[in-house]
Amino acid sequence: MKRGKKYVEAAKLVEKSKAYDVKEALDLACKTSTAKFDASVDVSFRLNIDPRKAEQNIRGAIVLPNGTGKTRKVLVICRGAKQQEATEAGADYVGEAEMINKINQGWFDFDVIVATPDMMGQLGRLGRVLGPKGLMPNPKTGTVTMDVAKAVKEIKAGKVEYRPDKVGNIQMTIGKVSFGADKLAENFKAVYDAIMKVKPSTIKGAYVKNISVASTMGPGIKVSSDSIK
């Protein structure tokens, strides 16, 4: 892959074979950002799990201490008084069958769906559409709930979901370059703790194989797990 001049120069600041201290790695991720905008900073975990096994297909959500720096549009599918609760909590869109029909017709102007359990029967029919996009509500991530107000407020405050890909990697955004290393480190630690907390009991050997951080369009930087406290 041919890289631009800015990327090549930024990559020279990173020692490929070195695993950096968490804050040092995040500071470097900020310094090596080549984007003209306030780039996101992502963390990637390579885990020793097999997502094909139910007990190892870990999934969950966490509210980052400093948020993500992104504004997420929330759609709440619910009925009756719950619609007022969702609206007052700051949901961008609220409705029931009419919203489901709208999605079925190709509307996707939202980032997260929160639904009450009684609406999942109807919403479940769109599984083939919502599933591949990672938009189907799930009790494990707190997006299928009767407490729609709490769910909306947490998402707006910086709640992020984590789930492995087919080979056991988890990638998440932990903030923006403008956050600086200290705030990014706090978010990183929250994510790390959450993933360690759901370690499957059937894992043999090392659970975390590799951790790296990078800004949007920036080079990857390895993180030393020994530096995480």
Side-chain angles (χ1 to χ4, degrees):
M1 183 184 293
K2 190 175 181 180
R3 300 286 191 176
K5 289 183 179 179
K6 288 185 178 180
Y7 179 94
V8 173
E9 289 302 310
K12 289 179 181 179
L13 299 174
V14 182
E15 292 182 42
K16 291 184 179 180
S17 60
K18 180 180 178 180
Y20 291 83
D21 171 88
V22 176
K23 281 193 177 181
E24 189 180 6
L26 290 167
D27 185 52
L28 200 50
C30 294
K31 288 179 179 177
T32 55
S33 173
T34 60
K36 293 182 180 180
F37 51 88
D38 188 10
S40 295
V41 175
D42 293 342
V43 59
S44 297
F45 294 87
R46 187 158 67 90
L47 304 177
N48 178 27
I49 60 173
D50 183 352
R52 292 173 300 178
K53 297 179 179 178
E55 74 279 5
Q56 293 187 21
N57 190 12
I58 60 176
R59 184 174 182 179
I62 179 175
V63 179
L64 298 180
N66 301 297
T68 62
K70 296 180 179 179
T71 300
R72 306 177 81 194
K73 291 184 179 180
V74 182
L75 163 63
V76 179
I77 306 292
C78 59
R79 294 188 177 111
K82 291 296 175 182
Q83 293 191 359
Q84 183 66 24
E85 289 180 26
T87 300
E88 291 177 353
D92 298 275
Y93 307 104
V94 181
E96 46 181 297
E98 75 279 8
M99 287 297 181
I100 295 174
N101 290 333
K102 200 171 178 181
I103 295 170
N104 198 32
Q105 291 169 12
W107 176 71
F108 291 100
D109 187 28
F110 52 86
D111 302 299
V112 185
I113 301 178
V114 173
T116 49
D118 60 315
M119 295 302 299
M120 287 304 294
Q122 294 182 49
L123 194 58
R125 297 168 190 165
L126 300 182
R128 290 184 179 179
V129 176
L130 298 176
K133 294 178 179 292
L135 293 171
M136 180 59 76
N138 189 299
K140 290 184 179 180
T141 60
T143 47
V144 177
T145 176
M146 288 302 293
D147 195 346
V148 294
K150 179 183 177 183
V152 171
K153 288 175 182 177
E154 286 184 342
I155 293 166
K156 291 291 185 178
K159 187 175 185 178
V160 291
E161 297 181 12
Y162 61 84
R163 62 186 302 181
D165 60 18
K166 293 180 180 179
V167 293
N169 298 320
I170 290 179
Q171 182 170 319
M172 299 173 65
T173 295
I174 55 171
K176 297 281 190 177
V177 166
S178 60
F179 281 23
D182 288 340
K183 286 187 176 181
L184 287 171
E186 289 177 2
N187 282 355
F188 174 97
K189 184 62 165 56
V191 170
Y192 177 83
D193 288 346
I195 289 176
M196 292 304 292
K197 192 175 181 179
V198 295
K199 176 184 176 181
S201 59
T202 53
I203 295 297
K204 294 181 179 180
Y207 173 44
V208 180
K209 289 184 174 180
N210 184 52
I211 308 173
S212 63
V213 294
S215 65
T216 305
M217 297 164 59
I221 303 157
K222 292 181 181 178
V223 177
S224 169
S225 56
D226 293 336
S227 68
I228 305 170
K229 301 177 181 178

